[in-house]
Amino acid sequence: MHGFIAVISLNKPLPSISFNWKPLFPFQKGYIKRNIQYVNLQIEQFTSKQFLPDKYWIDTDEFIFVTEGLITNIDSLLHTYKADDIPSLISQLYENRENFFKVFTGNFVGFFFHKKQQICIAFNNHTATKRLFYFQHLEYLIFSTDLYTLSKTLSTLHISKSLDIEAAYLLLTSSFMQDDYTLIKEIKQIRAGEYAMCKNEKLKLKFYFHLHEIRETTDSKEKIINAIDELFKEAVRSEFEFEKRRDYTPVTTLSAGLDTRMVALVANDLGYNNQVIFNFSEPGFVEEVVPKQIADDYGLKIEQFGLTADGLLAIEDAVAVNDGLNVYSGSSHTFEAVKTLKIDNIGMIHTGMIGDAVLGSFLSDTIPQSAKITDGVSSKMLLHKAKPIFEKSMANYKNEVIYKFYNRAYCGANNGFLFFNLISESTSPFLYPDFLTYALSIPSKYAYKERIYVDWIMTKHLEYARYIWETIGGKPTNNRLKRFYYRYKRAIIKRLPVQSMWKNSMTPEQRWYDSNPDVKLSLDNYFKQNIDKLSFNKELMEDALYLYNHGNIVEKTQVITLLAACALHFE
């Protein structure tokens, strides 16, 4: 939502620009603004004072180096390269390679400008846990971590912009963007493992890390389990040790799934016992009950937040966070939860984001499969309109797993990081490059249905399997009959007139909409009052009307997200 913006004038002096940043929410405190201005370059950063010494703002005779987020292996890099300070390290790294940031780990984006060579580089991290946008023009080149700020800068420079109709249909089908799309046709995204370099007024985008480079390992199953256990511990240790040296209190999300459980309990086993568990769920649901059991058994402090239908009303707040690039209802509940969290000296928010996908859930078979047009799609009503976009995208990926990672995970699920970042910096050890690379090299016969995940837990962390895994409705197992029994038992319980932790679901939005007249009225009124924002395109407007009037709650909130995004960027 905040971060930095860099504007480069390619052929004339750059006038001083007053940048527009989104207003802070009431629960956000302690932000600073800093600015660098040269004849043809202006950079501004608007960022939280939290972890401020680790958000680099360096201006030397040789270069400018700016980052947002955290490079969690920076201390070890200083030691490895025998550098006295960060400027010395960056200078040394850049001498060796233009993609010097390849050696970084963490949740970061950055900008580098070499003054003598007049080369600028903007780079995203390996897995796009932060967003980075760019705009290219005959006169200007602009990079920004915030789409709204970049959009308003175009207006300041009297540069026209327009809604990307293809991106609008992506939002109305998959609920998120695809590849480098944004809702503004003139602005694109710098993707996971990608960087943009401008030299001699020519911009080139290159990947320094891409999942298609990963080759299947020939390691035995036993060796695979040992390897992922050690690599995961290294990733967890890297995160927690980073903030321990800076004397922050770690916060770890916890649900009834496996991913957050692994992060919290492995960290606990490694000695990081001061973490605060953060859980949000509908009251009485398994997603509330199991985390409480785990926290109590391990003596971990827990903060729990009960979700209600009011989360669906945070339309413009949620869209302000993600610029309307993801359906707002996908994380409006996270927004409601994070704004209530009050922890002194809060450090990073450690998540298990995308852990299931890293360890096999994106596989639809033991034999590699091509991507399907329905992969990641949450509404098929307008799929025929978006079909050419999906087909063009799928041609760039050699199998379904890589396609799902670069779209469903990086463009979709990573939306969650944006909301946690409102109150701190957030991470996931499953996305650390070494762990991710090795995990995706595991043969499908082991990874399919997350079998290797369960084998890892049963072999190395058996006590973690004492608790229910929400996905299957029972304790972790690879036994097909047991999995069937758990699911059948859960389905029966849901139908019985008894109180149970299985009565609710992880996606209660439809029930909230149907059973709360005030919520239904608010959403319906928002739609009616704003649908004319699409009146410039008759076809799109008619499709949005049809989707809202005939769709479920996901489809309705897809339309509302598009309307709120149009208000944000074009009014």
Side-chain angles (χ1 to χ4, degrees):
M1 185 171 171
H2 299 105
F4 67 79
I5 183 167
V7 181
I8 301 100
S9 178
L10 299 174
N11 50 34
K12 62 182 180 182
L14 180 68
S16 181
I17 300 171
S18 179
F19 296 109
N20 290 288
W21 296 95
K22 295 165 186 163
L24 295 172
F25 293 111
F27 58 88
Q28 292 181 285
K29 307 295 182 184
Y31 272 63
I32 70 158
K33 190 178 289 184
R34 43 194 182 185
N35 196 290
I36 293 174
Q37 175 103 42
Y38 285 97
V39 174
N40 65 335
L41 170 69
Q42 185 177 351
I43 309 171
E44 185 167 283
Q45 185 174 38
F46 185 40
T47 191
S48 169
K49 292 180 182 178
Q50 195 176 30
F51 289 105
L52 188 60
D54 297 292
K55 298 172 183 177
Y56 303 115
W57 183 260
I58 298 169
D59 185 5
T60 72
D61 292 338
E62 182 186 355
F63 61 81
I64 296 169
F65 181 66
V66 175
T67 62
E68 181 69 14
L70 302 176
I71 302 170
T72 53
N73 66 336
I74 197 70
D75 297 332
S76 62
L77 290 174
L78 285 166
H79 176 75
T80 300
Y81 288 89
K82 298 180 173 59
D84 294 330
D85 51 31
I86 303 299
S88 300
L89 174 65
I90 300 305
S91 180
Q92 189 176 341
L93 290 174
Y94 179 71
E95 283 181 8
N96 295 330
R97 59 173 78 177
E98 69 181 32
N99 60 355
F100 61 91
F101 34 83
K102 184 175 183 177
V103 300
F104 297 161
T105 61
N107 183 20
F108 61 86
V109 286
F111 175 80
F112 175 87
F113 179 73
H114 195 283
K115 296 178 179 179
K116 183 178 180 180
Q117 298 173 353
Q118 289 290 293
I119 293 174
C120 67
I121 303 171
F123 54 92
N124 207 334
N125 64 61
H126 298 70
T127 54
T129 54
K130 283 191 178 291
R131 287 180 174 168
L132 186 57
F133 306 96
Y134 73 95
F135 166 81
Q136 185 181 14
H137 185 266
L138 290 175
E139 295 183 7
Y140 301 103
L141 177 61
I142 309 175
F143 301 103
S144 179
T145 54
D146 189 81
L147 183 62
Y148 169 88
T149 302
L150 203 168
S151 170
K152 296 306 177 186
T153 301
L154 295 187
S155 298
T156 299
L157 295 171
H158 306 291
I159 297 171
S160 62
K161 59 191 176 185
S162 57
L163 178 69
D164 191 316
I165 303 302
E166 289 188 344
Y169 280 106
L170 287 174
L171 182 61
L172 297 177
T173 49
S174 66
S175 295
F176 50 83
M177 296 294 102
Q178 196 89 353
D179 298 321
D180 65 350
Y181 276 90
T182 78
L183 287 173
I184 301 175
K185 191 171 184 178
E186 294 76 16
I187 300 173
K188 300 300 181 184
Q189 296 194 58
I190 296 178
R191 294 165 291 178
E194 190 175 37
Y195 67 103
M197 184 175 75
C198 183
K199 183 178 181 181
N200 298 325
E201 300 183 7
K202 293 182 180 180
L203 184 69
K204 290 185 178 180
L205 277 88
K206 304 178 183 179
F207 284 100
Y208 66 89
F209 176 81
H210 201 288
L211 300 182
H212 68 217
E213 298 171 352
I214 297 173
R215 298 292 177 264
E216 187 174 287
T217 182
T218 57
D219 290 347
S220 66
K221 186 176 178 181
E222 180 183 6
K223 191 172 182 179
I224 288 171
I225 291 171
N226 289 334
I228 59 176
D229 192 55
E230 287 305 312
L231 287 169
F232 191 75
K233 287 177 180 176
E234 286 178 19
V236 170
R237 192 179 291 112
S238 177
E239 290 183 8
F240 281 82
E241 197 62 30
F242 178 90
E243 67 187 335
K244 180 180 179 181
R245 288 193 293 268
R246 288 148 179 84
D247 200 28
Y248 283 103
T249 300
V251 175
T252 308
T253 60
L254 187 60
S255 67
L258 297 183
D259 306 337
T260 54
R261 181 184 313 183
M262 290 303 296
V263 178
L265 297 187
V266 167
N268 187 67
D269 287 348
L270 291 174
Y272 303 103
N273 313 121
N274 66 326
Q275 59 184 310
V276 177
I277 299 302
F278 179 34
N279 166 253
F280 44 97
S281 166
E282 275 201 291
F285 180 43
V286 63
E287 290 286 344
E288 179 190 60
V289 175
V290 171
K292 184 70 165 60
Q293 291 175 346
I294 295 173
D296 288 348
D297 288 351
Y298 284 86
L300 297 170
K301 182 179 178 181
I302 185 169
E303 296 282 346
Q304 292 190 287
F305 176 81
L307 299 178
T308 68
D310 288 346
L312 280 174
L313 302 180
I315 298 168
E316 294 184 348
D317 286 343
V319 169
V321 177
N322 66 24
D323 286 300
L325 303 185
N326 302 75
V327 64
Y328 89 88
S329 57
S331 286
S332 57
H333 59 287
T334 308
F335 178 81
E336 290 298 294
V338 299
K339 72 181 187 181
T340 68
L341 187 64
K342 293 178 175 60
I343 296 175
D344 292 336
N345 201 37
I346 185 172
M348 286 189 275
I349 297 181
H350 304 271
T351 77
M353 203 76 82
I354 315 180
D356 57 342
V358 173
L359 288 168
S361 71
F362 277 170
L363 288 164
S364 63
D365 202 322
T366 55
I367 301 170
Q369 301 291 311
S370 297
K372 298 185 291 294
I373 197 168
T374 53
D375 286 339
V377 168
S378 51
S379 172
K380 296 180 181 179
M381 280 197 191
L382 301 175
L383 186 57
H384 59 288
K385 297 287 181 77
K387 184 179 179 182
I389 313 169
F390 288 119
E391 290 175 339
K392 181 180 177 182
S393 176
M394 290 187 297
N396 296 321
Y397 303 95
K398 66 180 182 181
N399 60 49
E400 64 173 341
V401 172
I402 297 178
Y403 172 77
K404 290 175 183 177
F405 262 95
Y406 280 92
N407 294 291
R408 184 172 166 185
Y410 297 159
C411 293
N414 275 0
N415 177 52
F417 286 112
L418 303 179
F419 289 82
F420 291 128
N421 289 346
L422 293 173
I423 57 172
S424 186
E425 295 293 335
S426 54
T427 57
S428 171
F430 290 97
L431 295 180
Y432 269 62
D434 288 350
F435 182 85
L436 176 66
T437 299
Y438 188 81
L440 292 183
S441 77
I442 297 172
S444 301
K445 64 180 180 180
Y446 296 136
Y448 180 57
K449 291 189 180 296
E450 300 169 78
R451 291 170 184 163
I452 197 68
Y453 202 166
V454 174
D455 287 336
W456 171 30
I457 293 172
M458 303 302 283
T459 304
K460 295 291 186 178
H461 305 282
L462 184 58
E463 66 177 33
Y464 300 179
R466 291 180 293 165
Y467 307 98
I468 286 173
W469 176 18
E470 192 279 336
T471 298
I472 66 170
K475 296 178 181 180
T477 179
N478 278 329
N479 184 294
R480 291 177 62 186
L481 289 177
K482 281 188 177 181
R483 285 196 178 195
F484 175 80
Y485 167 72
Y486 288 149
R487 289 194 171 102
Y488 180 76
K489 177 183 176 183
R490 179 173 58 181
I492 294 296
I493 290 173
K494 282 186 175 184
R495 288 168 171 79
L496 294 175
V498 295
Q499 197 65 27
S500 167
M501 66 180 181
W502 295 113
K503 284 296 181 180
N504 296 331
S505 73
M506 290 185 69
T507 54
E509 289 83 6
Q510 186 66 55
R511 175 166 43 81
W512 285 347
Y513 178 81
D514 293 337
S515 61
N516 290 268
D518 290 344
V519 170
K520 184 179 187 301
L521 181 63
S522 293
L523 267 60
D524 291 351
N525 283 341
Y526 191 93
F527 169 73
K528 293 172 185 175
Q529 292 164 9
N530 291 278
I531 186 61
D532 63 347
K533 289 180 170 55
L534 301 180
S535 59
F536 67 94
N537 188 301
K538 182 181 178 181
E539 181 181 2
L540 179 61
M541 184 174 176
E542 289 179 350
D543 285 339
L545 279 162
Y546 181 83
L547 188 62
Y548 191 90
N549 289 328
H550 296 85
N552 58 30
I553 187 61
V554 173
E555 291 160 327
K556 292 180 190 298
T557 55
Q558 287 173 331
V559 175
I560 288 177
T561 302
L562 179 59
L563 301 180
C566 287
L568 180 70
H569 297 300
F570 299 104
E571 292 185 353

